[in-house]
Amino acid sequence: MEKQKKKEDESNKKKRRQFTGKWKLSLTIITILLSGFQLYTAAFGTMSPIIQRSIHLSFILFLVFMLFPATKKSASNRLTIVDGLLMLLSTASTLYITFRFPSLVASGGLHNNVDIVVGAINILLVIEAARRAIGKALPILAIVFIVFAFIGRMIPGPLKHSGFDAERVIQHLYLTTEGIYGQILGVSSTYIYLFILFGAFLSVTGMSKLFNDIALALAGHTKGGPAKVSVISSAFMGSISGSTSANVVTTGSFTIPLMKKIGFRPHFAGGVEASASAGGQIMPPVMGAAAFIMSDALGIPFVHILGYALIPAILYFAGILITVHLRATKLGMEGLSKDELPSVWGVLKDYGHLLAPIIGLIYMLIEGYNAMYAGVWGILLAIIFSSFRKHTRINVKDLIKAMVDGALNAIPVASACAIIGIIIGVTSLTGAILAAGAAILDLSGGFLITTLLLTMVICILIGMELPTTANYILTSAIAAPAIILLGIEPIYAHFFVFYFGILSTVTPPVAIGAYAAAGLAGSDPIKTGVTALRLAIVGFIIPYMFIYSPDLMISPESTFMSVAPVFVTALIGVFAVSASLERYLLTHIAIYEQVLLGISAFLLISTFSVYTEIAGIVVFLLVLLNSWRKINSVQSVTEQKAVNG
């Protein structure tokens, strides 16, 4: 844990100002106020949407200009006059709409020149804040969209529109709930922030140690045990953290050295951690931030989102675990000695009470409680149950740390949500969403498979520059409609772009999750990225599986008999994929057997018909039997030599 904290601190120092003295105290007070505001509104009811969102954004912009320098050469431990001015303008331009809102409602939305001037300032501040907090990609895209709103008449093809003047664009982006202060920022100011805060509270209780120790106790002694520990602990932590890189740093600082210790090469150890950490965001019960946005956008209860996500997540992690096991068996690796591992009972005795908040959260979601209400109770349960043991108890210092960390961790996500509001606002104003869907369909020829492939490429390319939450928001608005236009249910289209946005973090050449893991493993980033991509290959197949076979996802209408057969055949298909990639089943396999396993996998995951699935199982069993025969043949020869000798 000490090493992990040091690495996180070093990472933060590269991005944020590090204050001391009165400035540090000021930062602590502001972040506590933000977390307190979010907790209060979650517990006692949110305000009018635009007011809730404007106060939320006021805090976020203020903190961005306080914490993030304008350039690399800017002062890293103090504010500049320009930063102070931007902080004041941020507060004024966001809170202006809070005080102006009643008049706007009363007048039917009629605006004046002051509204437009303040709105223009607010839009510019959101763009600059996003540049500082999350990089240049989204701000550049937002500027391109704003220009697009002005010059629509000059654009040929399906994206052409009549064009709008500056006043109309600013009014739409600033004074309505279809722009900056739209649904996306609304989710940020409610569900997303609350569950980031929930994760911060779990973190200060020692939850990461619980997950790591349980994973060690369950899998540490098996073949390639530390790699399996990495997969299991990353699945748990990634669901809460909602960030591939953060998950890599949190669990990888512990698991990567263990993997290297038992003989895994550095690039493989880093690849395992990166691929598993990426998958954390598709693993229930929390699934990072994007799942809440999906729930809100589609009007589907969050607990149903968890049902849709469960089987694909199991298949994804099964693919990594099977590959790790086959690699360890092929290399003759053993696990860690049981003497140096914790026992499940011992871990549960010391830290098991920390599971109560997660269990309570899941129970409330299943019972149909509002996700915000459930989140507040999750935080309260974390505080209450942490007090059951002295070493997990949340004291005043921990409470402050959780409130501060929650606010700091929310800044990049909230900044992304605000600027994506500009992009979504322009698309709604110009009708570009439908036009983008039509353009994708034109490029793909209107065929589902080509549309899916093109959408996949778009999601991966966008994801190379954006956080996964921002990627999902953007691609669900721009790319998912094309899939929906071909008759696919919105939930499956949204999960499709969600998956590929996440997998972009392990897709070279810009694989941020793999780069983070390579740093911890001391390996080549590209080699680590290629390995992570190979380990995560099942994740690239699963979205096509549930598009063509919706029974793979548990919907409210699903039954055991509709889901079980599809799940079993898909699991065998995942096994075939892993064995084919490793060229190992029960023993080393020949190239022709590798090809047969690839054919088996295709037949099992293509879900064309029951006959193709039966054929896939038969081919898999033939290769399995042949491997078993080869093992017995070798054993017979060995035994015969022993008798003759």
Side-chain angles (χ1 to χ4, degrees):
M1 292 296 292
E2 293 285 335
K3 289 181 181 177
Q4 169 199 327
K5 287 179 182 176
K6 284 181 183 177
K7 285 181 188 214
E8 288 181 275
D9 288 342
E10 288 172 7
S11 175
N12 290 337
K13 283 178 183 178
K14 293 178 183 177
K15 299 177 182 178
R16 298 197 298 250
R17 288 189 171 104
Q18 300 301 307
F19 293 122
T20 57
K22 63 181 182 181
W23 285 112
K24 184 175 182 180
L25 177 62
S26 300
L27 175 64
T28 301
I29 292 171
I30 294 166
T31 49
I32 289 174
L33 286 173
L34 172 55
S35 292
F37 167 74
Q38 299 290 167
L39 278 172
Y40 176 82
T41 55
F44 300 104
T46 56
M47 306 168 181
S48 172
I50 202 165
I51 294 176
Q52 167 88 11
R53 297 163 191 176
S54 66
I55 295 173
H56 171 75
L57 186 59
S58 176
F59 275 111
I60 295 299
L61 294 182
F62 189 93
L63 287 170
V64 168
F65 293 119
M66 183 179 187
L67 281 168
F68 293 84
T71 67
K72 292 180 180 179
K73 295 181 180 179
S74 301
S76 61
N77 58 356
R78 60 181 175 80
L79 293 175
T80 66
I81 294 175
V82 172
D83 292 323
L85 178 62
L86 294 178
M87 289 160 64
L88 291 174
L89 285 173
S90 297
T91 303
S93 63
T94 48
L95 295 185
Y96 174 84
I97 200 169
T98 300
F99 297 105
R100 183 79 173 90
F101 185 66
S103 300
L104 286 170
V105 173
S107 65
L110 292 176
H111 58 274
N112 55 41
N113 291 335
V114 176
D115 296 334
I116 299 304
V117 172
V118 176
I121 292 171
N122 191 232
I123 292 168
L124 292 173
L125 288 169
V126 167
I127 293 172
E128 171 60 11
R131 183 191 69 82
R132 294 190 183 197
I134 59 176
K136 297 177 182 178
L138 268 181
I140 290 173
L141 193 60
I143 292 169
V144 169
F145 269 74
I146 291 172
V147 172
F148 166 70
F150 295 145
I151 63 170
R153 295 178 183 177
M154 301 165 58
I155 298 174
L159 295 178
K160 184 174 182 177
H161 61 87
S162 60
F164 300 90
D165 60 26
E167 182 177 334
R168 179 73 178 92
V169 172
I170 293 169
Q171 181 269 337
H172 187 79
L173 296 181
Y174 178 65
L175 297 175
T176 73
T177 54
E178 293 187 42
I180 293 172
Y181 300 95
Q183 181 187 41
I184 302 303
L185 188 64
V187 178
S188 170
S189 67
T190 51
Y191 304 112
I192 293 177
Y193 192 101
L194 193 64
F195 279 85
I196 289 175
L197 191 59
F198 175 59
F201 271 91
L202 291 182
S203 180
V204 297
T205 64
M207 180 62 76
S208 60
K209 180 169 175 57
L210 168 64
F211 288 152
N212 285 337
D213 285 356
I214 283 183
L216 273 172
L218 292 174
H221 64 284
T222 62
K223 292 180 180 180
K228 295 174 184 175
V229 169
S230 173
V231 176
I232 296 169
S233 60
S234 295
F236 289 147
M237 281 304 299
S239 181
I240 295 169
S241 74
S243 165
T244 301
S245 298
N247 197 3
V248 166
V249 172
T250 303
T251 59
S253 57
F254 167 73
T255 59
I256 288 175
L258 285 179
M259 285 187 267
K260 291 168 68 176
K261 177 182 175 181
I262 67 165
F264 282 118
R265 291 185 151 195
H267 70 272
F268 188 83
V272 170
E273 181 58 49
S275 58
S277 292
Q281 295 172 78
I282 61 174
M283 174 59 76
V286 180
M287 297 173 63
F292 295 100
I293 299 173
M294 190 185 301
S295 172
D296 196 69
L298 297 178
I300 295 175
F302 183 73
V303 68
H304 291 174
I305 299 292
L306 301 186
Y308 284 108
L310 183 59
I311 289 179
I314 291 172
L315 292 174
Y316 178 83
F317 284 102
I320 301 175
L321 283 170
I322 292 167
T323 302
V324 163
H325 180 79
L326 293 175
R327 172 67 64 95
T329 305
K330 182 169 64 174
L331 297 177
M333 289 182 176
E334 297 298 330
L336 299 171
S337 170
K338 285 191 175 183
D339 296 336
E340 56 183 317
L341 297 175
S343 68
V344 174
W345 171 245
V347 174
L348 292 177
K349 183 179 178 182
D350 290 339
Y351 290 94
H353 57 287
L354 298 181
L355 293 172
I358 296 177
I359 294 171
L361 175 71
I362 295 171
Y363 171 78
M364 295 187 76
L365 291 173
I366 291 174
E367 288 297 308
Y369 287 94
N370 178 277
M372 286 179 62
Y373 183 74
V376 171
W377 270 103
I379 292 172
L380 288 175
L381 289 174
I383 296 171
I384 293 168
F385 279 90
S386 73
S387 65
F388 285 17
R389 293 284 188 276
K390 184 178 179 180
H391 56 277
T392 63
R393 188 171 299 143
I394 297 178
N395 54 33
V396 175
K397 184 178 178 181
D398 292 329
L399 182 65
I400 292 173
K401 177 174 170 47
M403 299 279 274
V404 171
D405 287 351
L408 296 179
N409 293 338
I411 289 173
V413 178
S415 300
C417 288
I419 195 165
I420 287 175
I422 293 176
I423 297 169
I424 301 300
V426 171
T427 58
S428 68
L429 180 65
T430 61
I433 291 178
L434 292 176
I440 292 172
L441 287 177
D442 285 344
L443 284 173
S444 65
F447 298 104
L448 180 58
I449 185 61
T450 51
T451 302
L452 294 175
L453 289 169
L454 184 58
T455 302
M456 176 186 74
V457 172
I458 291 170
C459 293
I460 291 173
L461 290 175
I462 292 175
M464 288 180 180
E465 290 292 335
L466 300 182
T468 50
T469 302
N471 185 350
Y472 163 69
I473 296 169
L474 201 55
T475 53
S476 65
I478 295 173
I483 303 174
I484 296 169
L485 286 171
L486 290 174
I488 302 299
E489 289 292 325
I491 182 64
Y492 302 113
H494 277 244
F495 260 103
F496 187 89
V497 299
F498 180 41
Y499 256 72
F500 286 113
I502 289 168
L503 291 170
S504 66
T505 62
V506 293
T507 305
V510 186
I512 57 173
Y515 280 24
L520 292 173
S523 59
D524 177 74
I526 296 297
K527 199 171 184 180
T528 304
V530 171
T531 303
L533 178 66
R534 192 169 176 271
L535 285 159
I537 195 67
V538 168
F540 287 82
I541 299 170
I542 288 171
Y544 293 92
M545 293 172 68
F546 59 65
I547 288 289
Y548 284 99
S549 181
D551 283 337
L552 195 63
M553 288 180 150
I554 302 175
S555 69
E557 295 77 31
S558 295
T559 64
F560 176 80
M561 291 308 298
S562 67
V563 172
V566 179
F567 173 64
V568 171
T569 55
L571 191 58
I572 298 172
V574 167
F575 202 116
V577 169
S578 298
S580 179
L581 287 174
E582 285 297 317
R583 283 195 64 187
Y584 192 91
L585 197 50
L586 299 177
T587 185
H588 293 274
I589 59 176
I591 293 177
Y592 78 90
E593 292 174 301
Q594 183 183 24
V595 173
L596 286 174
L597 284 175
I599 294 171
S600 170
F602 175 76
L603 292 172
L604 287 165
I605 65 181
S606 60
T607 63
F608 290 137
S609 70
V610 67
Y611 300 109
T612 58
E613 292 176 352
I614 292 172
I617 292 173
V618 169
V619 173
F620 178 80
L621 289 175
L622 288 173
V623 179
L624 183 66
L625 287 171
N626 195 45
S627 294
W628 180 76
R629 181 190 60 78
K630 283 192 284 187
I631 290 175
N632 282 343
S633 178
V634 171
Q635 287 177 344
S636 298
V637 171
T638 304
E639 290 171 2
Q640 188 62 43
K641 285 182 178 179
V643 170
N644 294 337

